[in-house]
Amino acid sequence: MKMHMPTLDLAAGFLLFGLAAGPTSAEPTTSTPLTLGEALKITLNNAQPVTAARATISSAKAQHLGVIAAFLPSLSLSDQDQYYHPLQGSTSTVIAGTLVPAKHPFYNNVVNANLGFNLYNGGKDVANYQGNLETLRSAITGLSAALNSSFEQVLGDFEALAADQATVAAQQRIVRLDQEIERLTSLRMARQASSRIDLIQAQQQTLAAETQLSQNRQQAMNDREQLQRAMGYLAPSEDWQVEERLPAAPPVAPGQYPVQQDPAVQSAYAQVLAARQQVAVASAAYWPTVALTGQYNLLGTSSTALDQAFTATQGSNYTMGISVSLPLLPFYNTVSAVDVAQANVETNLSTYQSALASASSRTQSAFQQLQEAQQGIKLAAKSAQLAHANAHLTDARYQAHQSSRIDVDRALVLAEQADLSATTATLALRLAAWKLYRAAHPQQFADTLTAAAAKHPSSDPITE
């Protein structure tokens, strides 16, 4: 019987094992922002779903050795030393299959070599082997699924924190502009060029901007904690930053993508096949077992000392035979085991259907998110263009003494808000593009994202 082990392609093998041996001590600090590539490395080595999936593979490989052992003969060796004392005058006893006269007490040493080889057990060993292959295949694809889920989670949290940082920086500039507007309004009121109402409105605008800045900082703190949890990383206590950049995803051709390619679906289906094999394992108890047995006995005796009996030990006899065991009553244990195994098949079928539904909805949702993000970046770009044109014209009017500095600052506030919208729209579009790439190419997603994150920013221009 040929034994086929599930294999990993070169790309997946590099990602799962080669990258895991890389550096794991990336320390995000305020002076060195954490890059997406570093975040993915940390995730690969520390995220709980990934480490648990690796442990599952190790367990399945260890079980594989056990199921292979069922097809091999078993051999055991035992040694027993004893002192024999007859209670009657002249008698005899059987030791190691040998009739030994026992007129007087004596010492003996017995060595038994036992051989066993399974010939038939209702297909239990074969079903166990096939089930283990499916379990191992499920574990390997389960690791790919865990990487996809963890990497997408980290990607989303990374994008959220990058957007938070850009928002905080922009809001800080807006606060400074509003404070400047408030100062200028106060000076105008002192010259009776503005009213008390204008100053109060300027003060309210400054307070609103400062309140928004505080809320933005709180959101950044929450998203930073979320990213830490997704990476499985104990980061320093200071407010470390991330690089405000996401790499561009490869283009995805429109069309329908078979959800069976998703590693999560493949892992769930392999579990269904493994569970069906366990039904066969449980059903094997209905059938007889046939095994080849053998025993080789060595005996040594001495009337004076045990060590002499040990040195006198030599081959005395051997036996060979066929052992047949037929279960008769009761069958309740077997019926219960088969029912439990069948119920486990239904449970795994439900998990498989859920994985199919998730993969299918992921594709549909990814297309919709990408369309919304594309529309959003168009609107943000147009808004930024108008805001900068307005700021330029307002500054020109100010230079011509046709407008005030307050009008210029207000135009700059609008420009800051528009630029922030364009920045966050760009991040959102790239995140949506990666989600679509995962839905379309789930088997290449983790490798491709890792490679793209490792590129230098200059090789990844923003083209959206």
Side-chain angles (χ1 to χ4, degrees):
M1 178 177 57
K2 293 183 178 180
M3 301 178 182
H4 298 288
M5 291 285 291
T7 58
L8 294 170
D9 56 41
L10 292 178
F14 165 77
L15 175 63
L16 303 185
F17 303 107
L19 186 57
T24 62
S25 58
E27 295 287 340
T29 65
T30 53
S31 59
T32 306
L34 179 73
T35 67
L36 179 61
E38 293 169 339
L40 295 179
K41 286 184 179 180
I42 294 171
T43 303
L44 183 65
N45 289 278
N46 296 278
Q48 189 276 333
V50 179
T51 57
R54 285 204 195 94
T56 301
I57 291 179
S58 299
S59 176
K61 287 182 177 179
Q63 293 174 7
H64 188 73
L65 296 177
V67 297
I68 290 178
F71 295 98
L72 304 176
S74 62
L75 180 64
S76 64
L77 191 67
S78 64
D79 182 85
Q80 182 179 10
D81 303 318
Q82 64 181 8
Y83 172 73
Y84 181 83
H85 193 293
L87 297 180
Q88 300 175 4
S90 178
T91 182
S92 61
T93 184
V94 176
I95 301 176
T98 302
L99 182 63
V100 180
K103 296 180 180 181
H104 305 285
F106 63 92
Y107 298 91
N108 64 78
N109 181 72
V110 177
V111 178
N112 300 119
N114 296 280
L115 173 68
F117 184 66
N118 175 57
L119 299 178
Y120 176 76
N121 63 353
K124 179 179 179 180
D125 293 340
V126 175
N128 259 330
Y129 176 76
Q130 295 294 339
N132 176 258
L133 284 183
E134 297 300 339
T135 299
L136 183 55
R137 186 175 292 108
S138 174
I140 292 174
T141 53
L143 177 56
S144 296
L147 282 171
N148 282 356
S149 297
S150 296
F151 277 15
E152 183 176 355
Q153 181 67 44
V154 167
L155 184 66
D157 294 338
F158 193 96
E159 182 271 343
L161 183 54
D164 291 338
Q165 291 176 187
T167 301
V168 169
Q171 193 64 30
Q172 287 174 334
R173 292 190 291 270
I174 290 173
V175 166
R176 289 194 292 269
L177 288 171
D178 284 337
Q179 290 173 341
E180 177 66 10
I181 291 173
E182 180 183 343
R183 186 185 70 82
L184 293 174
T185 304
S186 178
L187 293 174
R188 286 173 60 87
M189 190 184 75
R191 301 193 195 99
Q192 297 182 347
S194 292
S195 66
R196 176 67 177 170
I197 294 177
D198 295 330
L199 179 59
I200 291 175
Q201 290 176 343
Q203 291 173 335
Q204 288 178 324
Q205 186 65 31
T206 301
L207 288 174
E210 291 174 343
T211 300
Q212 184 63 50
L213 176 60
S214 176
Q215 294 174 349
N216 292 340
R217 285 172 172 163
Q218 183 63 44
Q219 184 63 48
M221 184 184 302
N222 295 336
D223 288 338
R224 186 177 294 107
E225 293 175 356
Q226 182 71 21
L227 178 58
Q228 284 182 229
R229 288 193 295 270
M231 291 189 299
Y233 182 63
L234 299 177
S237 58
E238 69 254 24
D239 292 339
W240 50 271
Q241 305 290 301
V242 298
E243 184 182 50
E244 296 175 16
R245 164 189 172 266
L246 289 184
V252 175
Q256 296 295 325
Y257 308 102
V259 294
Q260 287 78 9
Q261 293 181 357
D262 193 288
V265 174
Q266 294 177 339
S267 178
Y269 184 67
Q271 282 293 344
V272 172
L273 298 180
R276 287 173 177 170
Q277 292 297 332
Q278 289 305 308
V279 175
V281 170
S283 300
Y286 286 118
W287 300 94
T289 59
V290 181
L292 175 66
T293 62
Q295 186 179 64
Y296 189 84
N297 300 313
L298 299 93
L299 175 63
T301 62
S302 173
S303 60
T304 58
L306 185 60
D307 57 344
Q308 294 180 10
F310 183 82
T311 57
T313 302
Q314 59 182 346
S316 58
N317 60 81
Y318 69 89
T319 60
M320 295 291 293
I322 298 293
S323 173
V324 179
S325 177
L326 179 64
L328 295 177
L329 290 176
F331 278 136
Y332 297 119
N333 290 339
T334 302
V335 171
S336 173
V338 171
D339 289 345
V340 169
Q342 188 60 50
N344 192 39
V345 172
E346 298 300 325
T347 300
N348 283 278
L349 276 173
S350 176
T351 303
Y352 171 63
Q353 293 296 332
S354 177
L356 280 174
S358 296
S360 178
S361 63
R362 185 182 299 116
T363 302
Q364 298 174 2
S365 175
F367 270 114
Q368 294 174 356
Q369 289 182 23
L370 183 61
Q371 291 174 352
E372 291 295 331
Q374 289 172 338
Q375 181 65 19
I377 201 169
K378 291 178 181 178
L379 296 175
K382 185 176 182 180
S383 176
Q385 181 182 11
L386 292 175
H388 281 279
N390 177 63
H392 177 73
L393 293 174
T394 303
D395 184 69
R397 286 171 58 87
Y398 171 69
Q399 298 297 332
H401 304 287
Q402 298 177 351
S403 181
S404 68
R405 181 65 193 177
I406 292 177
D407 295 329
V408 174
D409 287 342
R410 286 173 177 167
L412 291 176
V413 168
L414 295 177
E416 284 286 353
Q417 293 172 339
D419 287 342
L420 175 61
S421 296
T423 299
T424 56
T426 300
L427 291 171
L429 178 59
R430 292 201 163 184
L431 176 62
W434 276 113
K435 288 186 174 183
L436 178 60
Y437 185 84
R438 182 202 170 178
H441 305 286
Q443 295 180 339
Q444 292 82 37
F445 169 72
D447 282 328
T448 305
L449 177 61
T450 302
K455 290 181 179 179
H456 191 272
S458 62
S459 64
D460 178 33
I462 296 177
T463 56
E464 289 83 3

